[in-house]
Structure formats: structure tokens, C-alpha cells
Amino acid sequence: MSNASQLDRRAAVAALLRDRKDTLVVSGLGSPTYDLHSVGDHDGNFYLWGAMGGAALIGLGLAQAQPGKRVLALTGDGEQLMGLGGLATIGVARPRNLDIVVIDNQHFGETGMQASHTGRGVDLTAIAVACGFAATATVRTLEEVQRLAVQIAAPADGPRLFVIKVLAENPPRSLPSRDAVFIKNRFRAHLGFAAA
Amino acid sequence: MHSPKPNPEIDWPSELYRILKAADVRQMSYVPDAGHSQLIRMFSADKDVTTNVLTTEEEGIAIAAGAWLGGQRSVLLMQSSGVGNCINMLSLSAIGRFPLLMLVTMRGEWAEFNPWQMPMSRATQPSLEAIGLKVMRAETAEDLVETVEAAAALAYDSDQQIAVLIGQRLIGKKKW
């Protein structure tokens, strides 16, 4: 299936996070982690290099622990497809400060660019609606991403899931630390918790 | 081999609730389970604890890591059959040295009626140990209460990843 978007993923993530303020961000393994790092390392970032399927759920635990902060789970279509059940769990938990943004290139980009389920007609926003999410949208242009960034900064009645359709490409990797203990302690220190 | 009888005088779910509250646990995730039903009810009625019902056990591993990032302690309740679902996600707790406390009721051992529970029952402890968890096990109510108290300290104070296995004899024979 042809890709329906010409949007560059790095430009999209840069536009999404340009004015992130104190938003906490968890990124799913693979390209979303590289995308997040490419727009600037940040103490409020927790990068995954594994734990596939878990990014949105780490976001849930974090959102529940920090109800006064906005939490963004930035992930890919493959990672979120693996965690479909988690969308039901998040829908039931109904956090008002958690947004999931899926950078959707409709392919499994890390493993040879095989077409993913979203490239074969599966609609993650429709699944999120069925799970009781408060808002969803699919965007395909930079202007729409810029409007999405404004929407994400505003309060919500419950969890939201947004899909950003992007070109299927692998831009040069931008690699954060792979030391999970370091990233964890840095993140907690950013929130004012002592390192272990 | 000495095998003490369970002590029906001890209300162990209430004791576990007391211990976990004393340990400042603020989040609880669970997959529905008869052995944990009383503990699930007590946490669900507690306005100071956020509870999440899961579609599959590994979701709770990720939630516990997120809770810790945000400064809260989380406990995860499941059956031994669910341990098999968790193995890859447990790499998150292991590599990130995230505190983790899982309370696992055993199936497939004492007076089990369902042979399909047997393979995962045999695999529960070795697979948890293979991915890097410390496994503790209790067969009596007294031992379970002490074990969970120690496990909570190990997990939350010493950044360890702990599974406490609750012997099926302690749960009682399932009526079929």
C-alpha cells in the first residue's frame, strides 16, 4: 500500500515538541527514541531501547504518579500495535494528563520496512475511540502537527491518541544514552526525587 | 519433609494490604485472580491508591516503571500463568534497576484440577530467575506476611526486582 503522507518524521516531532514546557516524554524503542533525541536531549525524556509494547503504559504509570504534569508517550505504529491491549487499560484508567502520539510510517522500519498493520488498513485512532479515549485525530501535514501541539498543551477530559502519518524512511540515527539506570535517575532528579 | 498446615486464623490478604500500605504503595495493577480477590477489593476501595485492571500481565511491569519515574511505588498482582506473558517486559525492570514487587499466586501445583496449568507452573520460577528476578516463596500465611514485608523493603529500598510466589496450598483447593 502506498504511503499517504509526505511528512518528514523529524520535522513533525520537532514541531510537536517546540514548546514542550514541562511535558514529560516517554519514547518507544526504535525510531521514536531517535526522533525524540534528535530535537534535543532533555532531563524529562525517558528513552526506551526495548520493552516493546510498553511505552504508553509507562506513560500511564507516570501520568498517575504526576497528575499535575502533562505526559506524552511518543511511539511508532509497530510498538503501539504490540500494545493494543494497553489502550483498553488506559481507556479504563482514564488519565486526564496522558497523550499518546504515534509516529506512523505504516511500516516496520527497523526490520526491513515490511508493511505494518496500519499500512494494511488498521486504524489506531478508531481503536482508541472504541477504548473510550477522550480525543483522537490523524494528521498528515506540518501545519496540522503545529495545531496538534497547541491542542496537546490544553487540558483534556481523558487520554488522547493522535496519529501523525509520516514518510517511510530511516533518517540518520540520533542516539541517546543506552544506560537505562542513568536515564531513570536523571529523569527522577528532574522531578525532584533523590537518586537511589 | 515437614509441611506445615496453612493457618486459617491469619487473614493474610488483610495483612498484605497493611504491609503494602505501610510501605507507601500508591499504585496497584492486577489481572483478575481468585487468590488475590480480597486484596484487589481492599485496594480498589482505597482512595489513596490508584488501581489499574490489565488486559495482560506485562502491562503492569511497564506501569510500575512509569510509577517509579513519577515518584510512586507500585505493586503488581497476578497468577503464575501470567508470568509467561511478562518475560520480555521484565527486561525493562532488570536493565533499568526499577523497583518491582510482583505477588504471584501459584497454579498447577497443590490439588490443581486443570492439567493445562502445569507447564507454566513448572516454568514460573526458572523463567523469572532467568530474566533476572529474585524469587521468594511462601507456603504458609505466617511466612507469606513476613516474606512480603521483606520483599517490599528489598524492592523499594534496594531497587530490586522481586517476585513472591504464593503456594497454591495457601490459596486452597479450587472447587470444580
Side-chain angles (χ1 to χ4, degrees):
Chain A
M1 188 177 285
S2 67
N3 195 305
S5 177
Q6 294 300 308
L7 183 58
D8 174 84
R9 60 185 305 140
R10 292 281 166 83
V13 173
L16 190 71
L17 294 173
R18 182 162 296 132
D19 188 22
R20 64 180 282 175
K21 297 198 175 75
D22 62 350
T23 298
L24 303 170
V25 186
V26 177
S27 61
L29 79 168
S31 294
T33 277
Y34 316 145
D35 295 338
L36 177 61
H37 185 258
S38 76
V39 302
D41 197 14
H42 194 294
D43 290 355
N45 288 350
F46 188 77
Y47 306 102
L48 291 176
W49 284 86
M52 190 159 176
L57 292 151
I58 295 172
L60 174 60
L62 175 58
Q64 290 177 156
Q66 290 286 328
K69 292 238 166 38
R70 288 229 65 84
V71 175
L72 172 64
L74 181 74
T75 191
D77 46 314
E79 209 265 352
Q80 194 54 60
L81 283 161
M82 189 166 166
L84 283 184
L87 296 181
T89 296
I90 292 165
V92 168
R94 210 167 170 77
R96 298 159 73 95
N97 58 330
L98 175 63
D99 295 304
I100 302 168
V101 170
V102 181
I103 305 298
D104 182 7
N105 68 359
Q106 305 192 153
H107 288 77
F108 297 107
E110 289 286 305
T111 54
M113 278 296 175
Q114 301 88 352
S116 80
H117 302 61
T118 61
R120 297 166 186 246
V122 172
D123 182 354
L124 289 170
T125 64
I127 294 168
V129 168
C131 291
F133 276 52
T136 66
T138 299
V139 304
R140 299 170 193 276
T141 68
L142 201 54
E143 293 69 32
E144 289 175 318
V145 175
Q146 287 161 348
R147 284 199 292 274
L148 183 58
V150 174
Q151 184 181 355
I152 283 177
D157 292 333
R160 301 178 293 197
L161 184 144
F162 303 106
V163 171
I164 302 178
K165 295 281 187 181
V166 298
L167 273 169
E169 57 182 357
N170 281 325
R173 289 182 175 175
S174 178
L175 305 179
S177 171
R178 284 174 289 179
D179 183 343
V181 176
F182 164 69
I183 299 293
K184 173 191 73 172
N185 287 335
R186 188 179 73 161
F187 189 100
R188 281 171 50 87
H190 175 65
L191 291 177
F193 302 113
Chain B
M1 186 177 149
H2 179 59
S3 131
K5 292 273 187 220
N7 183 349
E9 301 301 311
I10 294 181
D11 176 10
W12 60 265
S14 294
E15 288 296 297
L16 298 192
Y17 176 74
R18 179 183 61 76
I19 287 166
L20 294 169
K21 287 291 288 182
D24 195 28
V25 167
R26 299 289 306 281
Q27 295 194 23
M28 184 279 279
S29 299
Y30 68 100
V31 172
D33 167 49
H36 281 313
S37 56
Q38 186 180 337
L39 199 49
I40 292 168
R41 274 197 303 277
M42 296 176 90
F43 273 121
S44 300
D46 184 338
K47 288 189 167 35
D48 294 328
V49 177
T50 305
T51 60
N52 292 303
V53 61
L54 311 173
T55 70
T56 178
E57 289 79 359
E58 70 269 33
E59 294 173 1
I61 311 290
I63 291 171
W68 183 252
L69 284 176
Q72 288 192 344
R73 297 173 171 192
S74 181
V75 67
L76 173 56
L77 312 182
M78 71 177 76
Q79 271 188 11
S80 51
S81 50
V83 167
N85 297 338
C86 292
I87 298 302
N88 184 49
M89 196 66 80
L90 283 168
S91 61
L92 168 65
S93 317
I95 201 70
R97 226 154 59 217
F98 281 96
L100 179 67
L101 179 59
M102 299 164 47
L103 305 185
V104 181
T105 56
M106 291 303 295
R107 293 290 309 269
E109 44 180 50
W110 186 266
E112 176 63 57
F113 72 97
N114 181 354
W116 290 49
Q117 293 286 349
M118 302 299 174
M120 193 58 233
S121 177
R122 278 193 295 273
T124 293
Q125 183 158 352
S127 44
L128 284 168
E129 287 171 346
I131 196 67
L133 266 71
K134 176 178 175 62
V135 176
M136 302 167 85
R137 196 186 154 101
E139 300 293 345
T140 68
E142 293 94 329
D143 191 21
L144 177 62
V145 172
E146 281 185 12
T147 300
V148 171
E149 193 160 28
L154 282 168
Y156 305 125
D157 297 334
S158 292
D159 288 356
Q160 300 299 297
Q161 302 79 48
I162 315 282
V164 176
L165 307 187
I166 303 172
Q168 192 168 3
R169 188 176 189 182
L170 188 48
I171 311 296
K173 187 172 179 177
K174 184 166 177 164
K175 299 292 184 291
W176 178 238

